[in-house]
Amino acid sequence: MKQKSKKKFNLFMFILFIFFVIYTLILFGLLIWAISSSFMGRREFQTTPFGFPKELNFENYKTVLDLFKIQIRDDGGLRYVYFGELLTNSLLYAVGSAFFQTLSVCITAYCCAKYRYKFSGIIYSVVLIMMMLPVVGTLSSSIQIAQALNLYDTIGGIWIMNASFLGIYFLVFYDVFASIPKALFEAARIDGANDIHLLTKIAAPLSVKTFMIVFLINFITYWNDYQTPIIYLKTKPVIAYALFDITQNIRGNVPQILCAALIILVPVIILFCCTSKYLMGNLTAGGVKE
């Protein structure tokens, strides 16, 4: 008779589980409250801010969609950028910036983890130092450099500017690539693989889940970013900037503000649903298929 192993009760894990359950319920509760309140009228919300609407008021969404516009100066004149163009600019800015930043971090971390030279150690040290030392007072010089290199006010230019290997995700990718067994690379070398093959055929497939998770986190960061486009994309405003402008113009109308926030939340939810399998996956790398 085999003795069944009894799992010991872990008080810390139980408390942690309860904490995350409560945290999740709060987030879902706030989302349900926001959706419910977005269908209320202004007076109804002031009367019952935590209740449910008596009737579904879709006029809030129609009104808010008309408010998604930004006035810009283009070719010496003034014109409005409306919802469609704002959405296009946001998708180009967020997707491109997230992809190129994640790609630059991934490749740099791979080179540092795979090729152990003195310069690799310097790059690793620079990342750690930049994480500890805040860099301030560089806005004016960054604008001058962007204008001198013709990167200012261009979507492609902002992709290049955001393609940095600095940050915590460098350490994440470094640990993933360092954990890949060297035997895999040595076997591929014997079969005639070069450095490009090692990266594309071995390292990339084993790190695709990590790449997608970091990409999604970066996408959400850039999707919600309105300050950088205000400075560097004068004629290409994004939808987050329009949301900021709406919140400043209708401060007292909470239902319409919630409508605007929920509208720009939709692309994030769609992207999450399409890539949820990567978020739920395991981050560990291995060379043996199960």
Side-chain angles (χ1 to χ4, degrees), residues 61-176:
Y61 285 92
K62 296 179 181 179
T63 303
V64 167
L65 285 174
D66 294 333
L67 294 176
F68 272 103
K69 59 182 179 180
I70 296 294
Q71 189 179 44
I72 63 171
R73 183 178 298 275
D74 192 12
D75 295 331
L78 297 175
R79 72 177 182 91
Y80 279 101
V81 178
Y82 294 97
F83 183 82
E85 188 174 353
L86 291 170
L87 181 62
T88 302
N89 293 337
S90 293
L91 290 174
L92 290 174
Y93 169 67
V95 173
S97 297
F99 174 77
F100 285 106
Q101 183 182 11
T102 307
L103 182 65
S104 62
V105 173
C106 179
I107 294 177
T108 306
Y110 170 78
C111 293
C112 292
K114 179 67 174 61
Y115 306 103
R116 303 295 181 89
Y117 297 108
K118 291 184 179 180
F119 186 71
S120 301
I122 294 174
I123 295 295
Y124 191 90
S125 301
V126 168
V127 173
L128 295 179
I129 293 173
M130 294 301 295
M131 289 175 60
M132 293 184 291
L133 298 179
V135 180
V136 295
T138 61
L139 179 60
S140 59
S141 59
S142 298
I143 295 176
Q144 292 178 356
I145 293 174
Q147 291 174 341
L149 297 177
N150 294 324
L151 303 178
Y152 188 78
D153 200 21
T154 61
I155 297 292
I158 204 69
W159 291 351
I160 296 174
M161 294 175 63
N162 289 328
S164 171
F165 63 88
L166 301 175
I168 187 64
Y169 300 123
F170 174 88
L171 302 180
V172 174
F173 278 110
Y174 185 90
D175 183 67
V176 170

Side-chain angles (χ1 to χ4, degrees), residues 110 175-185 202-204 206-207 285-287:
Y110 170 78
D175 183 67
V176 170
F177 292 127
S179 63
I180 298 177
K182 294 182 179 179
L184 295 177
F185 296 107
I202 297 178
L206 292 176
S207 63

